[in-house]
Amino acid sequence: MRNNFFDQTYNKIDRLESTFSHAKRRKLRKAFLILTLLATVASVYPDYRNQSTGLIFIFGSIYGFFSLVEAFFYSVFNKIKEEKKSFATLSSISGNQYKGIIFHVSKSFFGSLLLYRLGIINDVASDMTAIVTEETLMGNESTLSEHVDITATTNLGALMFSLSKVSPTFKNILEKHATTLQQLTHAASWLERLYIKEIEREKWWSEQNLFKTQPFASDWAYGQTDTLEKYGSFIPSEYSGAESYQGEINKIELVLSKPTSPYALVIGESETGTLTLIQGLAGRISETHDKHAALHGKRIFMLNTSHLFQIVKNGQDFEATFSGVLFEAERVGNVVFAIDNFSLFIESAQSLGVDGIMLLVSCLRVSSMPLIVLADTHLYFQKIQKHTELSQYFEVVQTSIKDKESLLFYIQDHVLQVEGMYEVTFLYQTLEVIAESAERYFEGEALREKALDLLIEVAEVVKAEKGRVVTTENVLSLIKQKTGIPTGQINEEEKEKLLNLESLLHQKVIGQNEAIVSIANALRRSRSGIGKHNKPIGSFLFLGPTGVGKTETTKALSDIFFGEKAPMVRFDMSEYSGADGLARLIGQNNSSGLLADAIRERHYGVLLLDEFEKASKEVHNLFLQILDEGFFSDSTGKHVNLRNMIIVATSNAGSAFIISQTGEDLQKNKPDIINQIISQGIFRPELLNRFDGVILFESLNQEQVGKVIQLMLKDLSHRLEEKGVEILVTDELVQYLMSHGTDARFGARPLNRLIADVIEEKIAEGLISGNIMSGAKVSFVQNEQGALDIKQM
């Protein structure tokens, strides 16, 4: 028994869209309207009157025919909308009588468009026989309608999800193209939303669209904003990307519409997200006509705190300037006032000797203008929540980080325009990769602009290469070219390096197998794409005595994996033990800071933190956030991204205990060593737990020291090759260095000094004096006094 969802009216709509889409009908309708008008103008001239009259009837009739078709289309569309049903779903499944529902949906306008956007339409077409056979076996009516709860389907995404669950063949096609069920449903929802949005936009006669148009001279009743805009700007009314923040926008609307204390405090970790939210709110206010009358005609003015501070620094009074800007906005009459960065506002005011919180409180006592304050979560819990007088004025609206989600909505709204410009088509999976990549690989706060730039740039590249479809590989290849970060498919050279990373590291590092295995595993997880994207690639704390290879392991990792020309970012944390340590790293008084500058200059590679235990408590707190979230904010409030870095912290903590242990005993007693470090207050447990691994570096035995010497002399030999000099490494030389260049307390570190002071010095003297010429071979032998003498072969 077929239910009302299979009404033939919806089948006619689908056939109409499949053969002659709404977009094509709209263009032809406009074209014939223009032709009719031109013919009407031509009929004014007597010489063309007869011909023009005929053309008017012909063109006008065709225009009228298309108008009637559109009237039928809109009537069905409005009926479905009133019944709160899915237009795409109903038109896709209506009229299904013979070959099964998956076959029918895949041939429908929306179904074929969805499969094309996922890049699987050809495979579905080739496997359709298997799908039809599969459907026939599942029911007497050769349809899956009994197996799929169509009446519960609210949109096309839910329908496609149900079909994938009951058809193994269809599910296998999705898996073959690495298309998840989530991508299937999200892509379907996107196409349906885009289609409905376009139809609603064209209905200029609708109440919603009429209220979008600002009445003539509506601003004449309000004050001028020229002076106001010196300190900020009005937020454009756009919804792009704000769909994921609808709940928060609703809450803010309710707060701002209150007759008393219309003050909203919006807190969250993502400045990009809060800006998207505010822009969405501006769009909502511009459409408001049936609720929240208090917001009718309002515009959101965003105070640029950084710009205000720069102006005030030139001699103006901060307190008077801010109060003047706030009250001028209130005098204008149609302004919702917003403060963009309350953390920076407080810091700026404090640097000028003003209590920023009390300044705002004093203004709120005499103001009734709708106000939005944007603050990060840390500031809220540290200061605002504890400030009872300020808290009583505000209603808190907390946002969650939805950067990728809002970015995806944003580029979905712009992709058709870009496709039209460059005559290419984006797969849905490509849009997801663009949103994720803009957030992951690019610095700064303007993520939406960077995502849109990436969208445009990859379209340009594909068009230049005579391509038609933009794939995820096109995007990842462009990112690799722009950033130097390996993305996309792993080539043979990189595959070989990743699979043999342990042996490559062991060529430069003697012993320390635990450290090498941990680092290699972290890199493989990251490059394969299964590592966490919201944290650094890997983070490790190397514990052990001096001279056992902690720093050398880090250098070897940087050279092998990131390239010898790639500079490692290195900080001696003993320099950041004082009260100004944190300020020097993240900046102060609107300077960005040493760590922020270093990471922005090289945001892919290794960050080495030597003597980490000597850093101040505030610096350790900074790295709590970095290790957990992969970013921090500098003193200007801008994010610094470390998610493409490997962070290695070294420390001599617990060295005495480590020196007394070897091999299995050391690893067995590892918990005791860590507990001892915690009990001494060197590191807090929450900080240690943030590292991916706490690695113990054991003391080197005699055999390992000998191998270290071999490596050092090999490095020296490479450097001497440039001078045409060859050094012969003998057992006698190795034994001398081993007996004179090692110390239990300092490990192999004294070897560097010994080789420099004895061997390199004697060779340098010979080169300068002319006793050693290019092509010479030299060796070192021990004289009667036990010292080394240089000898030419």
Side-chain angles (χ1 to χ4, degrees):
M1 223 26 220
R2 206 171 286 283
N3 60 37
N4 291 333
F5 281 93
F6 293 93
D7 189 280
Q8 292 303 311
T9 302
Y10 303 136
N11 188 33
K12 291 175 184 177
I13 287 291
D14 184 67
R15 290 180 181 177
L16 178 65
E17 288 296 276
S18 299
T19 54
F20 213 13
S21 70
H22 177 75
K24 292 179 180 177
R25 297 197 306 271
R26 186 177 71 248
K27 290 178 181 178
L28 282 173
R29 192 162 161 249
K30 288 182 179 178
F32 280 104
L33 176 60
I34 293 172
L35 289 173
T36 303
L37 293 175
L38 291 174
T40 303
V41 172
S43 67
V44 175
Y45 299 95
D47 295 341
Y48 302 103
R49 185 166 297 162
N50 292 334
Q51 299 94 323
S52 299
T53 302
L55 290 174
I56 290 172
F57 280 109
I58 293 172
F59 294 149
S61 298
I62 297 175
Y63 172 75
F65 169 76
F66 279 117
S67 297
L68 290 174
V69 170
E70 289 306 281
F72 166 70
F73 172 83
Y74 282 125
S75 67
V76 176
F77 182 86
N78 290 335
K79 178 183 177 183
I80 295 174
K81 182 181 177 182
E82 289 171 3
E83 294 177 355
K84 296 183 178 180
K85 297 173 182 176
S86 169
F87 180 84
T89 300
L90 295 182
S91 65
S92 297
I93 63 178
S94 59
N96 173 39
Q97 297 178 5
Y98 304 108
K99 294 188 177 181
I101 191 170
I102 296 181
F103 177 88
H104 191 81
V105 170
S106 67
K107 295 296 184 182
S108 70
F109 171 74
F110 285 102
S112 60
L113 181 60
L114 171 63
L115 297 177
Y116 177 71
R117 283 289 184 178
L118 291 170
I120 63 175
I121 190 167
N122 292 330
D123 275 15
V124 172
S126 64
D127 287 344
M128 191 51 68
T129 302
I131 292 176
V132 171
T133 302
E134 184 178 75
E135 291 189 82
T136 304
L137 294 174
M138 294 188 68
N140 295 328
E141 295 185 7
S142 68
T143 178
L144 292 183
S145 57
E146 293 98 7
H147 301 275
V148 180
D149 188 9
I150 301 295
T151 57
T153 301
T154 56
N155 55 43
L156 183 62
L159 171 65
M160 298 306 293
F161 182 84
S162 298
L163 297 182
S164 66
K165 285 293 187 182
V166 296
S167 172
T169 304
F170 185 47
K171 187 176 182 181
N172 289 338
I173 293 173
L174 295 176
E175 291 174 350
K176 176 183 175 182
H177 288 268
T179 301
T180 65
L181 293 180
Q182 185 182 51
Q183 288 174 328
L184 174 70
T185 55
H186 286 184
S189 299
W190 164 52
L191 292 175
E192 185 170 11
R193 179 176 63 87
L194 207 62
Y195 186 85
I196 293 173
K197 194 173 183 179
E198 185 63 25
I199 299 300
E200 293 291 353
R201 187 185 294 119
E202 292 169 9
K203 294 163 61 179
W204 59 267
W205 62 88
S206 68
E207 186 180 25
Q208 184 178 8
N209 284 334
L210 290 175
F211 271 95
K212 281 184 181 180
T213 305
Q214 191 173 2
F216 176 72
S218 62
D219 285 339
W220 288 11
Y222 302 108
Q224 295 295 315
T225 61
D226 295 342
T227 304
L228 191 64
E229 292 181 69
K230 177 181 177 182
Y231 301 96
S233 59
F234 284 94
I235 298 294
S237 303
E238 59 177 84
Y239 258 127
S240 297
E243 284 83 352
S244 56
Y245 290 98
Q246 293 307 301
E248 291 93 334
I249 291 174
N250 290 337
K251 292 178 183 177
I252 297 174
E253 268 195 299
L254 289 171
V255 174
L256 298 180
S257 302
K258 294 192 305 182
T260 59
S261 297
Y263 311 133
L265 175 63
V266 182
I267 62 172
E269 297 294 345
S270 167
E271 292 181 26
T272 302
T274 51
L275 178 59
T276 300
L277 188 156
I278 297 302
Q279 288 182 328
L281 174 64
R284 176 77 65 82
I285 291 174
S286 70
E287 297 177 2
T288 299
H289 56 275
D290 58 350
K291 60 178 182 177
H292 305 312
L295 297 177
H296 285 185
K298 300 285 188 184
R299 294 187 297 162
I300 300 178
F301 172 80
M302 183 74 79
L303 177 71
N304 187 327
T305 304
S306 179
H307 185 53
L308 171 67
F309 179 64
Q310 292 299 326
I311 294 175
V312 169
K313 279 205 306 185
N314 294 329
Q316 293 180 226
D317 180 82
F318 181 82
E319 190 171 352
T321 302
F322 172 72
S323 301
V325 172
L326 189 66
F327 292 127
E328 181 172 317
E330 188 167 15
R331 284 196 299 272
V332 169
N334 67 333
V335 171
V336 175
F337 196 90
I339 300 175
D340 64 348
N341 187 335
F342 198 45
S343 299
L344 184 59
F345 179 85
I346 293 174
E347 291 175 7
S348 301
Q350 188 175 9
S351 67
L352 297 170
V354 178
D355 186 332
I357 293 181
M358 287 310 300
L359 172 60
L360 182 60
V361 168
S362 63
C363 293
L364 295 179
R365 289 171 181 161
V366 293
S367 173
S368 59
M369 176 178 59
L371 176 70
I372 303 171
V373 172
L374 308 181
D376 60 68
T377 306
H378 177 71
L379 175 72
Y380 173 72
F381 288 110
Q382 186 183 48
K383 292 185 179 180
I384 300 177
Q385 189 181 45
K386 298 175 182 178
H387 200 290
T388 54
E389 193 168 4
L390 179 65
S391 298
Q392 71 181 359
Y393 284 102
F394 283 97
E395 191 160 334
V396 177
V397 177
Q398 188 159 5
T399 66
S400 58
I401 296 178
K402 304 173 184 176
D403 280 353
K404 180 184 173 182
E405 189 177 350
S406 60
L407 280 176
L408 186 56
F409 274 117
Y410 181 72
I411 59 178
Q412 284 175 354
D413 285 345
H414 289 80
V415 68
L416 293 185
Q417 181 183 358
V418 175
E419 288 179 338
M421 289 169 57
Y422 296 98
E423 299 178 338
V424 296
T425 300
F426 283 82
L427 298 182
Y428 175 79
Q429 297 93 323
T430 307
L431 301 183
E432 284 194 335
V433 170
I434 289 174
E436 179 182 309
S437 299
E439 180 188 11
R440 183 177 180 187
Y441 296 114
F442 296 98
E443 271 297 325
E445 299 302 319
L447 285 178
R448 299 204 307 176
E449 289 72 14
K450 288 175 182 176
L452 185 57
D453 287 344
L454 196 55
L455 189 78
I456 294 171
E457 286 181 46
V458 73
E460 290 175 343
V461 169
V462 172
K463 183 179 181 180
E465 295 174 350
K466 308 300 182 184
R468 296 294 306 233
V469 178
V470 185
T471 65
T472 57
E473 283 303 317
N474 295 134
V475 177
L476 295 173
S477 177
L478 178 63
I479 290 170
K480 183 176 181 180
Q481 178 185 336
K482 289 171 68 70
T483 65
I485 300 173
T487 57
Q489 291 185 346
I490 302 174
N491 58 37
E492 287 302 318
E493 180 183 353
E494 190 181 1
K495 183 190 299 182
E496 190 73 17
K497 183 186 293 183
L498 284 166
L499 293 177
N500 298 285
L501 194 54
E502 288 93 339
S503 61
L504 292 172
L505 286 169
H506 273 307
Q507 291 175 14
K508 294 193 172 189
V509 179
I510 303 303
Q512 315 306 347
N513 191 61
E514 184 196 3
I516 287 174
V517 169
S518 297
I519 291 173
N521 289 340
L523 283 172
R524 282 192 284 263
R525 285 195 302 271
S526 173
R527 186 63 184 92
S528 66
I530 64 174
K532 293 181 179 179
H533 294 169
N534 60 343
K535 298 181 68 174
I537 295 174
S539 58
F540 305 96
L541 175 61
F542 290 173
L543 297 176
T546 298
V548 295
K550 300 190 296 295
T551 302
E552 286 303 317
T553 301
T554 311
K555 288 180 180 178
L557 169 66
S558 181
D559 291 347
I560 292 171
F561 193 79
F562 300 102
E564 293 186 3
K565 294 182 179 179
M568 179 175 63
V569 181
R570 183 173 182 175
F571 281 82
D572 183 349
M573 301 311 290
S574 64
E575 298 178 9
Y576 304 94
S577 58
D580 64 340
L582 180 63
R584 292 176 61 203
L585 289 173
I586 70 172
Q588 58 184 340
N589 296 329
N590 291 316
S591 66
S592 53
L594 297 174
L595 180 61
D597 290 341
I599 299 302
R600 287 193 175 113
E601 184 177 338
R602 174 153 187 82
H603 56 275
Y604 175 65
V606 175
L607 171 62
L608 174 60
L609 309 170
D610 270 332
E611 299 190 275
F612 188 58
E613 77 280 6
K614 295 181 180 178
S616 67
K617 180 182 177 182
E618 290 74 18
V619 172
H620 282 178
N621 288 339
L622 170 67
F623 280 94
L624 266 173
Q625 178 188 350
I626 291 173
L627 298 176
D628 195 37
E629 300 174 354
F631 73 90
F632 69 93
S633 298
D634 63 18
S635 65
T636 65
K638 294 181 180 178
H639 283 188
V640 182
N641 182 8
L642 291 90
R643 291 173 178 171
N644 301 302
M645 303 288 292
I646 293 179
I647 299 176
V648 177
T650 69
S651 173
N652 295 333
S655 294
F657 196 92
I658 293 173
I659 289 173
S660 66
Q661 305 290 317
T662 57
E664 294 181 1
D665 290 338
L666 178 62
Q667 299 306 322
K668 186 172 64 176
N669 293 320
K670 183 177 179 179
D672 295 333
I673 297 172
I674 293 176
N675 288 333
Q676 185 183 59
I677 291 171
I678 293 173
S679 64
Q680 292 174 353
I682 300 173
F683 294 119
R684 286 173 292 157
E686 59 266 32
L687 178 59
L688 293 178
N689 288 335
R690 293 297 196 281
F691 285 100
D692 293 331
V694 177
I695 312 299
L696 301 185
F697 277 65
E698 59 185 345
S699 300
L700 300 175
N701 57 38
Q702 287 298 300
E703 180 184 355
Q704 290 171 334
V705 171
K707 291 180 179 180
V708 170
I709 292 172
Q710 294 280 358
L711 286 178
M712 290 179 173
L713 293 176
K714 184 179 179 181
D715 180 63
L716 174 60
S717 181
H718 285 319
R719 286 183 277 136
L720 289 175
E721 284 178 2
E722 299 176 4
K723 302 294 183 181
V725 177
E726 181 181 348
I727 181 172
L728 299 179
V729 179
T730 63
D731 291 340
E732 182 181 3
L733 176 59
V734 173
Q735 287 297 324
Y736 176 87
L737 293 174
M738 190 181 297
S739 60
H740 290 77
T742 57
D743 187 301
R745 295 170 299 168
F746 303 110
R749 182 157 291 177
L751 282 169
N752 281 317
R753 266 194 314 272
L754 182 62
I755 291 174
D757 293 344
V758 178
I759 298 176
E760 292 181 16
E761 179 64 26
K762 291 184 182 298
I763 295 175
E765 288 177 1
L767 289 170
I768 293 172
S769 66
N771 293 331
I772 298 177
M773 306 293 290
S774 179
K777 292 183 180 180
V778 299
S779 65
F780 287 83
V781 295
Q782 214 169 347
N783 59 30
E784 294 179 358
Q785 288 75 35
L788 284 180
D789 288 336
I790 190 169
K791 180 181 177 182
Q792 290 200 50
M793 307 296 291

